[in-house]
């Protein structure tokens, strides 16, 4: 075969190379004379490659990006900047299985460093922004703190790399927002800004003028995508007030089921809303008091027999999950959406604690208490949370509200930080650490001194029992991140290897010593990090 008429010399050579010279002989005009076809093809390809490269036309220059925005926040002190570079460089180091050794886990210290830097209002060094965005891309738990630290420059840089596009739909990341009194600039950012910028703008406006924020949101609400409507609605949780009721009532008719459900949830957190009143009437019709004599009072429940159109319009989901009865599913939704203030009047003027202690007929107790737990969390009602939690020393399986540790954690989150820490400390003292992991996760960091002491004492007891520390690795990891760094010196006594007891697991003492050495070294490093950020090093 010979070359195809009209094809360029380069195309002829490529075709011959792809098909093979036995099937497509390269044109004689392109190959040196006197050589076999394969060798001639290679020689011709080398010659034409050089010719093509030498004749390559330069591409038109692209427009230069706009300069990065100015960041007016103070610079990080030099020692702290070097520490951040170390933490970012170590973030991809393999953690491996097996023993962790005594060295701190730097990947777990990066979130704490970022949180501390943000508390002090520092700007991110420009040189670390690429590594910071890479770290946030790999770890979603880092993103809020990392993007806040990266600031407007981080967003500017993220626009230039598709791998960092997550930042453009994440948190506000410190975007430079227009003056809220500049209506033209506010409107332009709302119409043209990135999603993160629009969320930040909405939050900033709500802080000063909730009516203006809702007016802005309502101006484009009908044209927003369902997922964006959901996120905008969710942002109203911050600063939620009665001024939001009209907008949320309208959102109950949204075409998106998730938007409707979120609107109903937010309205149920406004006890004075018309929605809460409707739910209170429905829930109260299902729950009543069989008085008998005062000592024998019992709560009776008559769950709904249908989920009518009005209930569904108010966010009640008609179809229960698999394995769940319809009536109990509807009842739970009504009770969790009703204001908790309705129950004292409905149930004989009793307090929350007295109501929770009442027996419930026909095995409806678990369903009713679980719904009250959800209502207490949603409404942030500390009095009901205390009643549903019960005394910390009460065994979880027989507690007054719920046996679920996840639900208990949510109830604890409604209490003041000091009370929360005290409750968990007494829970650990009574029951040990086996069921405390989720409860510890909602306690303020660093842990208050009584809570930290109870955790360390419980770990010490576990060590003396002769078991391996691996069963407590989750709590030990929390202690590394959450104990007050000032505790390091007090814990040094636990780093010694104890004498091995006769009934102890082989080598357990050495493993515990190693775990406590790692705890002490981590606390010491955390203290150093804070000193560096404070400019004391």
């Amino acid at each position: 075969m010979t070359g195809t008429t009209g094809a360029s010399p380069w195309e002829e050579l490529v075709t011959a190379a792809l098909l093979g010279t036995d099937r497509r002989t390269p044109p004689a005009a392109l190959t040196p004379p006197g050589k076999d076809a394969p060798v001639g093809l290679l020689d011709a390809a080398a010659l034409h490659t050089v010719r093509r490269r030498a004749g390559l036309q330069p591409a038109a220059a692209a427009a230069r990006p706009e300069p990065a925005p100015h960041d007016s926040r103070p610079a990080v002190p030099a020692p702290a900047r070097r520490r951040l570079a170390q933490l970012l460089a170590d973030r991809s180091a393999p953690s491996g299985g097996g023993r962790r050794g005594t060295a701190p886990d730097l990947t777990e210290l990066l979130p704490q460093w970022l949180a501390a830097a943000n508390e002090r209002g520092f700007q991110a060094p420009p040189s670390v922004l690429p590594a910071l965005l890479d770290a946030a891309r790999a770890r979603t738990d880092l993103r809020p703190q990392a993007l806040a630290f990266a600031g407007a420059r981080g967003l500017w840089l993220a626009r230039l790399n598709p791998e960092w596009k997550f930042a453009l739909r994440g948190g506000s990341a410190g975007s430079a927002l227009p003056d809220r009194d500049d209506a033209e600039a506010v409107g332009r950012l709302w119409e043209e800004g990135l999603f993160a910028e629009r969320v930040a703008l909405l939050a900033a406006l709500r802080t000063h003028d909730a009516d203006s924020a809702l007016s802005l949101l309502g101006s484009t609400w009908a044209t927003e995508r369902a997922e964006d409507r959901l996120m905008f609605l969710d942002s109203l949780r911050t600063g939620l007030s009665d001024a939001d009721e009209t907008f949320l009532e309208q959102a109950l008719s949204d075409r998106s089921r998730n938007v409707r459900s979120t609107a109903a949830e937010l309205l149920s957190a406004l006890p004075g809303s018309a929605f809460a009143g409707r739910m209170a009437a429905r829930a109260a019709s299902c729950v009543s008091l069989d008085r008998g004599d005062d000592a024998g009072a019992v709560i009776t429940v008559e769950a709904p027999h249908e989920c009518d159109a009005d209930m569904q319009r108010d966010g009640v989901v008609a179809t229960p999950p698999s394995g769940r009865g319809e009536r109990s599913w509807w009842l739970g939704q009504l009770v969790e959406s009703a204001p908790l203030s309705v129950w004292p009047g409905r149930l004989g003027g009793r307090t929350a604690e007295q109501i929770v202690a009442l027996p419930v007929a026909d095995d409806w107790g678990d369903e009713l208490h679980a719904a009250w737990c959800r209502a207490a969390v949603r409404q942030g009602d500390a009095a009901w949370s205390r009643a549903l939690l019960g005394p910390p020393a009460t065994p979880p399986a027989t507690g007054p509200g719920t046996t679920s540790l996840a639900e208990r954690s949510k109830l604890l989150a409604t209490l003041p930080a000091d009370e929360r820490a005290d409750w968990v400390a007494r829970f650990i003292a009574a029951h040990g650490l086996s069921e405390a992991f989720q409860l510890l996760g909602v306690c303020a960091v660093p842990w208050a001194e009584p809570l930290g002491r109870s955790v360390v004492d419980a770990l010490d007891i576990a060590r003396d029992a002769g078991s391996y520390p691996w069963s407590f690795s989750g709590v030990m990891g929390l202690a590394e991140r959450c104990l007050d760094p000032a505790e390091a010196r007090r814990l040094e006594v636990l780093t010694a290897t104890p004498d091995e007891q006769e009934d102890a697991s082989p080598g357990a003492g050495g493993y515990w010593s190693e775990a406590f050495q790692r705890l002490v070294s981590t606390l010491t490093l955390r203290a150093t990090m804070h000193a560096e950020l404070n400019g004391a090093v």
Side-chain angles (χ1 to χ4, degrees), residues 28-305:
L30 300 179
T31 56
K35 292 188 176 183
D36 294 338
V39 176
L41 174 64
L42 293 176
D43 287 348
L47 174 65
H48 281 274
T49 297
V50 173
R51 180 178 296 165
R52 283 168 59 85
R53 289 177 177 173
L56 184 65
Q57 294 288 331
R64 298 180 62 181
E66 292 292 325
H70 174 67
D71 194 334
S72 60
R73 295 176 295 176
V76 175
R81 186 171 63 249
R82 290 192 292 270
R83 179 73 63 190
L84 174 59
Q86 178 192 14
L87 297 176
L88 288 170
D90 191 76
R91 68 179 178 82
S92 59
S95 59
R99 297 172 71 158
R100 288 177 52 197
T102 61
D105 184 350
L106 299 187
T107 62
E108 292 304 319
L109 291 178
L110 179 56
Q112 295 203 17
W113 191 100
L114 291 171
N118 285 332
E119 287 174 3
R120 291 162 174 80
F122 287 128
Q123 65 164 276
S127 60
V128 306
L129 283 176
L132 185 64
L133 290 170
D134 279 340
R137 179 170 65 93
R139 289 180 56 179
T140 55
D141 64 307
L142 279 180
R143 290 182 183 178
Q145 294 286 3
L147 294 179
F149 184 57
R153 285 180 176 175
L155 279 183
W156 173 86
L157 189 61
R159 294 187 186 99
L160 305 178
N161 185 345
E163 292 188 349
W164 298 330
K165 63 183 179 181
F166 71 89
L168 305 181
R169 291 187 63 82
S172 62
S175 306
L177 299 176
D179 189 309
R180 61 180 181 273
D181 295 325
D182 187 346
E184 182 179 351
V186 166
R188 183 166 58 251
L189 181 61
W190 183 252
E191 293 286 348
E192 303 173 2
L194 298 167
F195 180 77
E197 295 169 330
R198 300 177 74 205
V199 170
L201 177 63
L202 186 64
L205 288 176
R206 277 180 61 78
T207 303
H208 301 280
D209 188 347
D211 290 340
S212 295
L214 286 179
S215 177
L216 189 68
L217 180 57
S219 67
T220 59
W221 180 258
T223 59
E224 302 286 358
R225 299 186 306 168
E227 56 266 36
D228 288 352
R229 293 199 306 278
L230 181 62
M231 292 295 291
F232 285 135
L233 203 61
D234 199 63
S235 72
L236 300 185
R237 295 181 191 276
T238 302
L240 184 67
S241 71
D242 292 336
D244 301 316
E245 180 182 356
T246 301
F247 183 84
L248 293 173
E249 275 283 349
Q250 294 171 351
L252 286 175
S253 302
D254 194 89
R255 57 187 180 275
S256 165
R257 172 180 164 180
N258 289 333
V259 171
R260 295 195 301 272
S261 297
T262 301
E265 181 183 345
L266 293 174
L267 282 166
S268 68
L270 298 173
S273 66
F275 171 89
R278 296 193 297 271
M279 286 301 195
R282 291 172 180 137
S285 69
C286 298
V287 180
S288 59
L289 190 66
D290 183 358
R291 296 184 180 278
D293 57 47
D294 196 47
V298 176
I299 294 176
T300 59
V301 173
E302 181 66 30
H305 291 274

Side-chain angles (χ1 to χ4, degrees), residues 99 102 469 495-498 500 505-517:
R99 297 172 71 158
T102 61
T495 62
T497 303
E500 194 157 310
S505 303
Y511 287 115
W512 275 107
S513 174
E514 188 177 89
F516 279 118
Q517 288 178 53

Side-chain angles (χ1 to χ4, degrees), residues 395-486:
T398 59
T402 174
T403 60
S404 165
L405 289 174
E407 290 287 349
R408 287 185 160 216
S409 299
K410 294 176 182 178
L411 291 170
L412 279 169
T414 68
L415 304 181
D418 290 346
E419 183 181 354
R420 194 184 319 160
D422 179 69
W423 196 97
V424 177
R426 289 188 287 140
F427 180 92
I428 292 171
H431 309 295
L433 291 170
S434 60
E435 296 184 307
F437 183 79
Q438 283 183 289
L439 305 181
L440 286 167
V442 299
C443 293
V445 178
W447 288 336
E449 195 273 337
L451 176 58
R453 189 190 316 119
S454 72
V455 171
V456 173
D457 289 347
L459 288 170
D460 196 16
I461 291 170
R463 180 185 69 162
D464 290 344
S467 62
Y468 289 118
W470 303 316
S471 298
F472 304 94
S473 60
V475 173
M476 187 66 80
L478 274 179
E480 292 173 13
R481 298 190 294 274
C482 303
L483 269 175
D484 190 328

